[in-house]
């Protein structure tokens, strides 16, 4: 409100007489947008950008660094890598936006988490109980069972659930020539009990790509680049807010220092190690792991995100 009053108080010539004229002049220039939401978002963006420059007394050399950083984020982005999302993730912006839009605007616990840069559309449809290991992938075997319920605890049948994860060496198939196309990815459908199940291998934590501007930022800030191991899930069904989430491996050394700030208490999984007993399938050698997890889907719009990569 204050900023709008400020705008009205200023002369309307558009000629900048002094430093204090710049922000109102820009806000005035943008005020004619037909789209009301665009007017709100663009005006707030400009007010905060200008306030940021004032607060840090931004130098011209720092301005040049910032513009170069922004340009290189774009140049580093291509069909199989999304540096823009990585940057938003690494400054906690993705998690902030996720929580603002989930769990009653952050007031209550949510099963949601950031999408990350590795979701691909068109994962292979896979039957419940089947494996998402599509080429030899050494590592401890993992048996996953997930229940999808509404906020009243009732099971939700026919949720289309995308699953994707890194291998036991910490690479997604699109980053690793030794893995088959769509290895460790699959699309499941919840049964009448709201359940999916599949067989996989235990994922490993991994460093986010550090060969671009985001890597430079992490090094300059003395931050490690690691994410704790996790499996990604995307649940889609009409009349429910699309559930985008990750379930983290509870014994990972980076659980409390995820480089992209994705770990919430609700998403620490119970990856249970089994050293003996009867394995869930033939040919399985100890140790193997099981993960049982329950997701609550909120009512809302079923909208798919834009895939970060092809
Ligand atoms: Fe991931």
């Amino acid at each position: 409100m204050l900023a709008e009053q400020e705008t009205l108080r200023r002369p309307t010539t558009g000629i900048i007489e002094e430093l204090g004229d710049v922000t109102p002049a820009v806000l005035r220039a943008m005020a004619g947008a037909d789209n009301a939401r665009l007017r709100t978002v663009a005006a707030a963006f400009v007010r905060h950008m200008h306030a940021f420059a004032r607060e840090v007394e931004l130098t011209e050399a720092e301005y040049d660094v910032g513009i170069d950083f922004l340009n290189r984020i774009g140049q580093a982005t291509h069909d199989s890598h999304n540096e823009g999302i990585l940057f938003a993730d690494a400054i906690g912006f993705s998690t902030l936006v996720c929580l603002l839009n989930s769990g009653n605007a952050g007031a209550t616990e949510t099963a949601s988490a950031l999408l990350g840069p590795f979701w691909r559309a068109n994962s292979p449809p896979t039957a419940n109980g089947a494996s998402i290991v599509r080429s030899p992938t050494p590592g401890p075997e993992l048996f996953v069972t997930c229940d999808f319920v509404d906020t009243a605890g009732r099971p939700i049948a026919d949720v289309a659930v995308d699953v994707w994860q890194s291998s036991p060496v910490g690479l997604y198939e699109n980053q690793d020539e030794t893995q088959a196309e769509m290895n460790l990815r699959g699309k499941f459908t919840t049964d009448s009990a709201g359940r999916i199940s599949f067989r996989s291998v235990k994922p490993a934590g991994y460093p986010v790509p550090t060969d671009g501007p985001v890597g430079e930022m992490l090094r300059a800030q003395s931050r490690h680049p690691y994410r704790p191991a996790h499996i990604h899930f995307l649940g889609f069904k009409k009349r429910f807010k699309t559930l985008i989430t990750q379930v983290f491996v509870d014994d990972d050394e980076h659980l409390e220092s995820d480089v992209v700030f994705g770990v919430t208490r609700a998403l620490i999984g119970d990856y249970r190690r089994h050293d003996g007993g009867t394995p869930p399938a033939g040919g399985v050698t100890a140790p193997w792991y099981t993960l049982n997890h329950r997701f609550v889907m909120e009512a809302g719009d079923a909208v798919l995100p834009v895939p970060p990569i092809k």
Side-chain angles (χ1 to χ4, degrees):
M1 272 302 123
L2 198 64
E4 279 165 33
Q5 286 160 8
E6 183 90 335
T7 306
L8 297 174
R9 215 161 45 71
R10 296 279 173 182
T12 54
T13 63
I15 293 174
I16 309 297
E17 309 281 359
E18 52 165 317
L19 175 66
D21 289 344
V22 180
T23 307
V26 178
L27 294 175
R28 211 164 37 234
M30 302 193 316
D34 288 336
N35 183 319
R37 181 65 180 159
L38 173 63
R39 283 201 303 276
T40 302
V41 172
F45 182 78
V46 165
R47 284 201 311 274
H48 285 268
M49 278 294 283
H50 288 211
F52 148 74
R54 287 192 179 92
E55 179 185 324
V56 302
E57 297 177 352
L58 198 71
T59 68
E60 287 163 313
E62 289 163 347
Y63 169 93
D64 286 343
V65 169
I67 295 291
D68 179 59
F69 188 77
L70 184 64
N71 288 340
R72 287 188 297 117
I73 285 175
Q75 288 156 2
T77 296
H78 48 78
D79 282 356
S80 61
H81 178 72
N82 194 318
E83 189 80 3
I85 288 189
L86 182 59
F87 176 62
D89 292 353
I91 62 166
F93 198 69
S94 306
T95 292
L96 177 70
V97 172
C98 169
L99 296 184
L100 276 172
N101 286 279
S102 306
N104 298 317
T108 55
E109 189 175 79
T110 178
S112 296
L114 69 165
L115 176 69
F118 294 122
W119 179 57
R120 295 177 67 186
N122 305 317
S123 287
T126 309
N128 279 319
S131 178
I132 57 171
V133 179
R134 303 182 195 281
S135 59
T137 313
E141 298 200 64
L142 171 66
F143 296 83
V144 179
T145 304
C146 294
D147 293 305
F148 290 75
V149 299
D150 66 16
T151 49
R154 291 173 299 221
I156 315 171
D158 296 322
V159 182
V161 183
D162 270 29
V163 172
W164 67 107
Q165 64 165 88
S166 68
S167 71
V169 299
L171 289 170
Y172 288 83
E173 50 84 31
N174 54 293
Q175 300 175 300
D176 182 1
E177 282 179 3
T178 70
Q179 293 183 50
E181 170 79 355
M182 294 288 180
N183 190 41
L184 306 182
R185 297 178 186 267
K187 188 185 287 290
F188 297 85
T189 305
T190 58
D191 63 17
S192 57
R195 178 167 288 190
I196 63 163
S197 59
F198 60 94
R199 188 171 169 172
S200 187
V201 282
K202 193 181 178 218
Y206 57 86
V208 296
T210 54
D211 54 352
V214 172
E216 278 170 35
M217 181 184 80
L218 296 176
R219 285 188 290 278
Q221 295 172 341
S222 303
R223 293 168 59 184
H224 76 68
Y226 284 92
R227 300 216 60 209
H230 54 271
I231 300 177
H232 294 264
F233 296 87
L234 187 155
F236 181 85
K237 175 159 177 164
K238 277 204 178 102
R239 296 192 300 281
F240 290 91
K241 178 172 164 42
T242 301
L243 176 66
I244 297 169
T245 193
Q246 319 182 11
V247 178
F248 294 92
V249 174
D250 41 340
D251 65 357
D252 193 287
E253 61 177 313
H254 296 114
L255 195 65
E256 294 182 357
S257 64
D258 183 2
V259 66
V260 298
F261 310 98
V263 182
T264 62
R265 197 60 70 185
L267 296 179
I268 300 173
D270 180 17
Y271 288 75
R272 202 163 291 187
R273 178 179 162 134
H274 303 268
D275 290 293
T278 310
V284 174
T285 51
W288 74 88
Y289 287 79
T290 52
L291 168 67
N292 293 289
H293 201 85
R294 184 172 177 268
F295 296 106
V296 179
M297 290 184 75
E298 301 169 24
D301 292 333
V303 178
L304 283 177
V306 176
I309 55 172
K310 295 213 169 126

